Structures are given as structure tokens and as C-alpha cells.
């Protein structure tokens, strides 16, 4: 697990309480802007979490979820303690292949949130911009406060969304709406997010924590192995044919029934 100092330098706080891990983006003075170090640290957290953790809640400190990439990453100096992205690429000290590897490392910080053994929940207040929106999209479930504002800002900055957000966005809203949202970089209100199915629920800001706590309690009511097997099954469904999915259901159920039979035999 990253050290307290490592987490703090990455602008991340981590609390693990029983089966629930809470990751808080903790740079409120920068509206929880994230750097490359934030993402590689999130990847370390994901790899190091104990198997006993079943729920991961991701939230931001203060009134914003996250303002996205720390814009200092694009400055000639770079973010504190990190290589500047553009000038190192421009002067040849970072080649394209190395940058591809670097981005792959950043993406690791987002990818693990989908793994079957956990359910990840983004609790979003205020702005979720660019990488912040992609982080929320990387979670299985999104609960929004009514002041939430989502924006895929990357194309407006001359970039593409590259932190694993394009697939969930298209899966949820469809290609046409995703094109419209990304290429206008417009801000989506909490209300519209609910209509677009980008939010499982929208609640008053004062009720966000309690709503997430209730959801966590509901999720923990299901046995861990059945929850993981069901999530694995559901994740396959969009890419499977009906026949493939039916076969996957059969295989998963045989696994579950066998486990239950073993339990009965003691
Ligand atoms: N990076 C660095 N600093 C940021 C920041 C960011 N992304 N967002 C906000 N800050 C800083 C501001 O510069 C300001 O600093 P000072 O107090 O030193 O002036 C401080 O945080 C507070 O910001 P605001 O006064 O602007 O706060 P606000 O509540 O009025 O507005 C906001 C909040 C709408 C998020 C606004 O700050 C904003 O638009 N920020 C920039 C958002 C942005 O463009 N992010 C990049 C998205 S693209 C992306 O993420 C790319 C990628 O992955 C490849």
C-alpha cells in the first residue's frame, strides 16, 4: 500500500473500514485536480487493497469531485515533482513510445475500479471535469448531488479523453450523445445526467453521504462470492450474444451451486 506521505503527495486520502474503502481526492484548494502521480497512486491502491474490501467509494473533498488534470501538467515546469508532458515531448526527452507507456500506467489507476470483486461508487458533488468525469465513469455506480456538473473537457483543450472514460460513456449514453457531449465539451447538469442514465441517483447535497451509506449497506447484504460472480456476468453481457451470455450464466451458476453444495456438506 502507498505510504501516508505517498498518498498525501498524490492528493489522495484512503480509509479502509472493514469491507469498505473510501478514496478521497484531497486537494480542495485546486478543486481536487489530479496529476500523473495521483493516477499511478490510485493504481497502487487498487493493487494493494485487501481482498476483504468489497466496496470502494470515490469522492472529492470540499465542493468539487475533481477539476480534472492539473493544468500545471501542461506548463513548461510541469506539476510539482513531475515531468512536464508537453515540453519533454517537444524537446525529445520523452519519446512517443515512452509516453504511451506512461499513459498506460495512468489508465491502471482507473481500470481496476471495474474488477468483479469490488463495487465502485463515485459520490459526486460539484464539478467532475475531464479526468474527473472519467474517474466517475470508471466507477460501477454514480450517485450525484444535485449541484453536480459533468464535462468532458479534453477535446476543447486539443486532447482526447484517454483515461478509460470513452467506453463507459458510449455504453451508457450511446455513440451519438457521446459525440455531442465530448465535441461540444458542454456541461451536463445533475438532472440531465440522471436522464442520460449517467447517474444512478441524484440527491440533495446534504443527503449524498447518507445515500451512499445506504447503498453500501444494501450492496454488502449480498454474499461476496455471489456478488462477484454476478458482476462478472453482467460485465460480459454487452459484448456477448444471447447464446454466449446464456452459456456464461450456466457456467457461473454451476460454480455457485457447487460452492453452496460444498458448504452444505460442511
Ligand atoms: N488544475 C490546476 N489548478 C486548478 C484546476 C486544474 N484543473 N482547477 C482549478 N484549479 C485551481 C485554480 O487555478 C484556482 O487556483 P488559485 O486559487 O491559485 O487561483 C483554484 O483551483 C480554485 O479554482 P477556481 O477559482 O477557478 O474555482 P471555481 O470554483 O470558481 O471553479 C472550476 C472551479 C470550474 C473547476 C474551474 O477552476 C475550472 O474550470 N478549472 C479548470 C478545469 C479544466 O480545464 N480541467 C482540465 C480538464 S481536461 C482533463 O482532465 C484532461 C485529461 O485528462 C487528459
Amino acid at each position: 500500500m502507498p505510504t501516508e506521505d505517498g498518498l498525501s503527495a498524490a492528493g489522495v486520502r484512503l480509509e479502509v473500514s472493514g469491507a469498505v474503502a473510501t478514496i478521497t481526492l484531497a486537494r480542495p484548494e485546486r478543486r481536487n485536480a489530479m496529476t500523473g502521480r495521483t493516477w499511478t497512486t490510485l493504481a497502487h491502491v487498487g493493487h494493494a487493497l485487501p481482498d476483504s474490501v468489497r466496496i470502494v467509494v470515490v469522492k472529492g473533498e470540499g465542493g468539487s469531485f475533481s477539476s480534472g488534470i492539473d493544468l500545471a501538467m501542461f506548463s513548461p515546469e510541469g506539476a510539482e515533482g513531475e515531468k512536464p508532458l508537453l515540453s519533454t515531448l517537444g524537446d525529445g526527452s520523452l519519446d512517443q513510445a515512452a509516453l504511451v507507456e506512461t499513459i498506460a500506467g495512468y489508465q491502471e489507476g482507473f481500470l481496476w475500479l471495474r474488477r468483479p470483486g469490488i463495487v465502485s461508487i463515485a459520490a459526486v458533488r460539484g464539478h467532475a471535469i475531464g479526468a474527473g468525469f472519467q474517474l466517475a465513469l470508471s466507477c460501477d455506480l454514480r450517485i450525484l448531488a444535485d449541484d453536480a456538473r459533468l464535462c468532458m473537457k479534453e477535446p476543447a483543450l486539443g486532447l482526447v479523453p484517454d483515461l478509460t472514460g470513452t467506453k463507459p460513456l458510449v455504453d451508457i449514453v450511446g455513440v451519438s450523445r457521446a459525440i455531442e457531449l465530448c465535441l461540444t465539451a458542454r456541461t451536463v447538469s445533475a438532472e440531465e445526467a440522471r436522464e442520460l442514465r449517467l447517474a444512478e441517483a441524484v440527491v440533495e447535497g446534504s443527503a449524498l453521504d447518507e445515500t451512499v451509506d445506504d447503498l453500501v449497506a444494501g450492496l454488502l447484504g449480498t454474499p461476496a462470492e455471489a456478488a462477484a460472480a454476478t458482476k462478472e456476468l453482467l460485465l460480459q453481457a454487452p459484448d456477448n450474444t444471447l447464446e454466449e451470455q446464456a452459456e456464461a450464466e450456466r457456467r457461473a451458476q454451476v460454480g455457485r451451486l457447487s460452492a453452496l453444495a460444498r458448504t452444505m456438506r460442511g
Side-chain angles (χ1 to χ4, degrees), residues 28 31-32 60-66 124-128 145 147-149:
R31 304 298 184 263
N32 303 320
E61 188 172 318
S64 298
F65 183 71
S66 171
V124 181
R125 291 182 196 282
H127 290 282
D147 70 347
R149 298 282 176 270

Side-chain angles (χ1 to χ4, degrees), residues 29-31 33 39 67-71 127 129-131 134 153-154 157 159-160 162-163:
E29 71 288 357
R30 286 273 170 270
R31 304 298 184 263
W39 302 323
S67 60
I69 195 167
D70 188 326
L71 295 171
H127 290 282
I129 302 177
Q134 295 192 68
K153 184 86 176 281
E154 288 82 346
L157 299 177
L159 300 165
V160 297
D162 65 339
L163 296 167

Side-chain angles (χ1 to χ4, degrees), residues 57-228:
V57 177
V58 183
K59 60 186 198 177
E61 188 172 318
S64 298
F65 183 71
S66 171
S67 60
I69 195 167
D70 188 326
L71 295 171
M73 298 262 292
F74 301 130
S75 72
E77 303 76 33
E80 200 183 325
E82 298 190 42
K83 285 188 185 155
L85 278 180
L86 295 182
S87 42
T88 47
L89 197 58
D91 69 15
S93 57
L94 178 69
D95 66 29
Q96 290 191 2
L99 183 54
V100 165
E101 283 303 302
T102 300
I103 294 173
Y106 295 164
Q107 289 174 331
E108 285 296 314
F110 295 71
L111 285 169
W112 66 271
L113 289 159
R114 283 90 165 187
R115 73 179 178 230
I118 58 167
V119 178
S120 50
I121 304 169
V124 181
R125 291 182 196 282
H127 290 282
I129 302 177
F133 187 14
Q134 295 192 68
L135 183 60
L137 283 166
S138 301
C139 292
D140 297 311
L141 307 172
R142 281 156 294 283
I143 308 296
L144 269 51
D146 53 9
D147 70 347
R149 298 282 176 270
L150 313 177
C151 173
M152 202 63 94
K153 184 86 176 281
E154 288 82 346
L157 299 177
L159 300 165
V160 297
D162 65 339
L163 296 167
T164 78
T166 57
K167 176 143 178 70
L169 181 66
V170 168
D171 286 347
I172 296 168
V173 305
V175 173
S176 299
R177 180 61 69 191
I179 290 173
E180 184 264 323
L181 292 179
C182 293
L183 274 59
T184 63
R186 72 177 173 87
T187 297
V188 174
S189 67
E191 198 46 52
E192 184 183 2
R194 176 164 48 196
E195 284 162 18
L196 292 175
R197 294 188 295 129
L198 287 165
E200 275 51 60
V202 174
V203 298
E204 282 183 20
S206 59
L208 183 63
D209 292 343
E210 193 184 338
T211 304
V212 171
D213 288 348
D214 289 348
L215 175 59
V216 168
L219 291 164
L220 288 177
T222 299
E225 295 78 10

